[in-house]
Amino acid sequence: MLWVSVWLPQLPLEALPWLPKALADAMPGRCVVVERRVLAADEAAQAKGVQAGMGAAVAAALAPEVLQLPRDAAREAAFVEALTLSLSALTPHLLPESDGVLLEVQASLRLFGGVRRLLRRAQRLVHAQGASAVIGVAPTATAAHLLARAPQRRRRALRADSTARRLDLLPTPLVLNLLGQPAALAELFEGIGARRLDAVRALPRAGLQRRGARALLDALDRAYGESPDARRWFEPPPRFALALELMQRADDAATLAQAAERLLLPLAGWLSRHWLAARRFTLQMQHEHGRRARPDSTLSIELGQPSRDAAQLLVLLRERLARHTLAAPVYALRLVLDEAQPLAGIEGHLLLDDRPAAGDLPTLLDRLRARLGNERVSRFALRADHRPEHADAVLPAAAALPPSPALAITPPRPLWLLREPLPLPAGHGDQPLYDGAPLALCSRPERIESGWFDGAPVRRDYHVAASADHRLCWIFREHRREPAPAGGCGWFLHGWFG
């Protein structure tokens, strides 16, 4: 097994305690204080000199106008859960922690092209969520957890022997703190000079157990791979609905699209975890509540080809947002998955030349519908009818295509059919004429006799004919039971070949 620990050393801005927007906009800065020390600060507070790790008293003396807020554990847990959903696109085996996420990626290495590519993809997902992460890699979950938080530069070990060497160099007080061990053990090891894990492991095991270090020894056994490390995998919610409060109000489509990406990435991970593809989702935009309250706006995105690709979903959402006129500034977003369908994956191809192009037809149709509107994009569908004027239909692009009719193999058909068949005059020997010149018949007659079932019967003999300027056309002679109209000979032009 191979574990990856994604550690968030600094609290992201999305996890700051919530304030009413009117108050938050008026504040010159915010910071989170835990145990009289600054845990995180927003950009306005950092501009005034307030930094993470600074004492609360020092921050108050340096910038008294910056608002100091207590930690909000619920908002932090919500952010970690959203990040866990985003990382679900890499592996189904995840474990959210209070300050990061653990991933078991052994089965995903070949899919993503190795450890380095997978780690780069994980970093991009974390950055897209507005956070920065330090990553540790090890064959055990506890070792990856410790290496990610270690002060040393080398935090990645792929084998058991290299993992043991990395762990042996870790300072004992740091490990005790990360594993939640009592302070008495730190005093004990400091007194006997065991300042690193290799010195701790060299001590007699029985003596350490008598002095209350049994839990520590069990944790070290799990870290070094000497005992199993049983974990319970993260289970995503049964339905996807995720909200995001914006750090500042959004007045344009570009700002909204950038914020919505932090919702689409968890959606893509949720879909991957459930082997589903989005068919329709809704973006709800919350405006200001209060004296100038306005009802929330909604955008519904429907895909012709279901997908769980976050990049494709973001492109469609950007197209729709570019066409949408905001009634008021937006302060919060909420993404809801309305409809999804099973998707096990994309079919592969044996030959490289047979791989589908990146801009395939379903993706193009979705982009056109998002940019122009559903009512302005149509598609053609075949009908099981031998009459040329009834053999196809124009359907909305969002409509599902009917099953293809099982028609027999027919002679060539022209791509350009006239809206109405054009009557042709007849010349010498009943030969059809076009623009005063005779048409030369190039094929045997093809009899089409149908339409008796819907009240529009036809009985025609079709020919491919060549005009005087060597263009090929499609003509027919109609066989009527009643006499032809005055001046008519029964010949009609129905289409042109390309």
Side-chain angles (χ1 to χ4, degrees):
M1 300 177 73
L2 189 64
W3 289 83
V4 173
S5 177
V6 178
W7 174 47
L8 305 176
Q10 184 175 355
L11 196 67
L13 295 179
E14 283 74 9
L16 287 174
W18 183 86
L19 286 177
K21 276 299 174 184
L23 180 59
D25 293 340
M27 281 295 151
R30 291 178 292 170
C31 65
V32 178
V33 177
V34 177
E35 296 180 355
R36 300 181 181 180
R37 190 165 295 276
V38 176
L39 183 63
D42 61 6
E43 294 182 0
Q46 292 179 18
K48 297 180 180 299
V50 179
Q51 301 293 332
M54 180 182 295
V58 177
L62 187 63
E65 66 276 12
V66 172
L67 182 62
Q68 297 186 4
L69 300 169
R71 190 173 187 175
D72 192 338
R75 289 178 63 83
E76 295 178 29
F79 179 85
V80 171
E81 182 178 357
L83 180 61
T84 305
L85 288 174
S86 299
L87 294 173
S88 296
L90 304 179
T91 175
H93 302 147
L94 302 101
L95 298 168
E97 300 181 304
S98 60
D99 56 354
V101 185
L102 272 172
L103 302 86
E104 199 285 303
V105 298
Q106 184 64 49
S108 303
L109 294 180
R110 186 175 181 182
L111 176 63
F112 291 99
V115 177
R116 293 183 179 180
R117 291 186 178 181
L118 187 143
L119 295 182
R120 284 197 294 266
R121 188 179 290 252
Q123 283 282 17
R124 288 196 297 266
L125 290 174
V126 174
H127 291 163
Q129 290 297 108
S132 59
V134 178
I135 293 182
V137 181
T140 65
T142 304
H145 175 89
L146 294 176
L147 291 179
R149 294 153 179 82
Q152 58 194 26
R153 295 181 57 186
R154 296 184 178 182
R155 296 185 174 91
R156 302 174 187 178
L158 304 182
R159 300 187 306 273
D161 53 350
S162 59
T163 301
R165 290 195 299 269
R166 300 277 193 279
L167 293 177
D168 286 343
L169 300 177
L170 294 182
T172 303
L174 173 66
V175 174
L176 295 178
N177 183 37
L178 293 177
L179 297 179
Q181 298 299 312
L185 283 180
E187 297 176 359
L188 172 63
F189 292 130
E190 179 67 23
I192 61 179
R195 296 181 175 85
R196 298 192 318 187
L197 279 190
D198 55 352
V200 173
R201 299 185 69 210
L203 296 175
R205 189 179 184 93
L208 290 177
Q209 290 180 351
R210 288 194 300 268
R211 288 167 174 80
R214 183 181 184 84
L216 172 63
L217 294 176
D218 293 341
L220 293 181
D221 290 342
R222 293 192 296 268
Y224 283 84
E226 297 173 356
S227 65
D229 192 356
R231 303 280 180 147
R232 185 174 181 179
W233 303 123
F234 167 73
E235 288 294 335
R239 295 185 69 255
F240 183 86
L242 191 62
L244 174 66
E245 182 193 1
L246 305 183
M247 293 295 101
Q248 57 185 1
R249 75 178 200 175
D251 299 304
D252 54 76
T255 305
L256 284 177
Q258 184 178 3
E261 185 179 7
R262 299 184 182 180
L263 299 175
L264 290 174
L265 290 174
L267 172 61
W270 186 93
L271 292 169
S272 299
R273 183 68 173 81
H274 289 85
W275 294 92
L276 296 174
R279 180 77 179 182
R280 187 176 71 255
F281 61 91
T282 301
L283 180 67
Q284 302 173 359
M285 294 170 284
Q286 178 182 325
H287 304 294
E288 185 177 3
H289 291 174
R291 183 175 300 177
R292 299 180 180 179
R294 289 182 178 269
D296 296 345
S297 303
T298 59
L299 276 182
S300 182
I301 311 295
E302 186 173 359
L303 287 80
Q305 181 73 20
S307 173
R308 58 169 173 253
D309 184 7
Q312 180 183 353
L313 300 180
L314 181 61
V315 168
L316 298 180
L317 186 58
R318 280 176 175 167
E319 297 287 355
R320 285 296 306 275
L321 287 173
R323 296 175 49 238
H324 181 74
T325 302
L326 294 178
V330 179
Y331 291 100
L333 298 175
R334 187 169 186 267
L335 188 69
V336 179
L337 178 64
D338 300 316
E339 183 181 353
Q341 70 180 48
L343 178 65
I346 301 175
E347 295 182 359
H349 295 265
L350 179 62
L351 301 178
L352 296 180
D353 295 340
D354 292 339
R355 290 181 297 180
D360 54 358
L361 180 60
T363 303
L364 175 61
L365 288 178
D366 286 339
R367 294 192 63 177
L368 290 175
R369 289 171 48 224
R371 179 174 297 183
L372 304 176
N374 292 333
E375 67 282 356
R376 297 185 179 181
V377 182
S378 304
R379 62 168 64 180
F380 290 96
L382 295 178
R383 286 180 175 175
D385 200 315
H386 290 282
R387 294 169 295 179
E389 60 268 28
H390 298 282
D392 56 17
V394 179
L395 302 177
L401 287 177
S404 300
L407 296 178
I409 298 177
T410 59
R413 294 285 188 264
L415 294 179
W416 178 15
L417 286 180
L418 303 182
R419 188 178 298 272
E420 293 291 340
L422 178 66
L424 298 175
H428 179 70
D430 205 21
Q431 187 175 17
L433 304 177
Y434 180 74
D435 284 345
L439 295 172
L441 302 183
C442 302
S443 68
R444 294 181 178 181
E446 177 193 353
R447 173 63 59 88
I448 294 180
E449 186 172 358
S450 182
W452 54 267
F453 46 84
D454 60 2
V458 298
R459 190 166 179 260
R460 304 166 179 169
D461 285 339
Y462 278 88
H463 296 265
V464 178
S467 63
D469 55 358
H470 306 290
R471 290 189 299 165
L472 294 181
C473 60
W474 205 37
I475 64 175
F476 68 86
R477 188 166 192 175
E478 191 167 16
H479 296 274
R480 296 175 177 267
R481 291 184 172 86
E482 63 275 4
C489 65
W491 285 104
F492 294 84
L493 174 64
H494 205 171
W496 292 94
F497 290 92

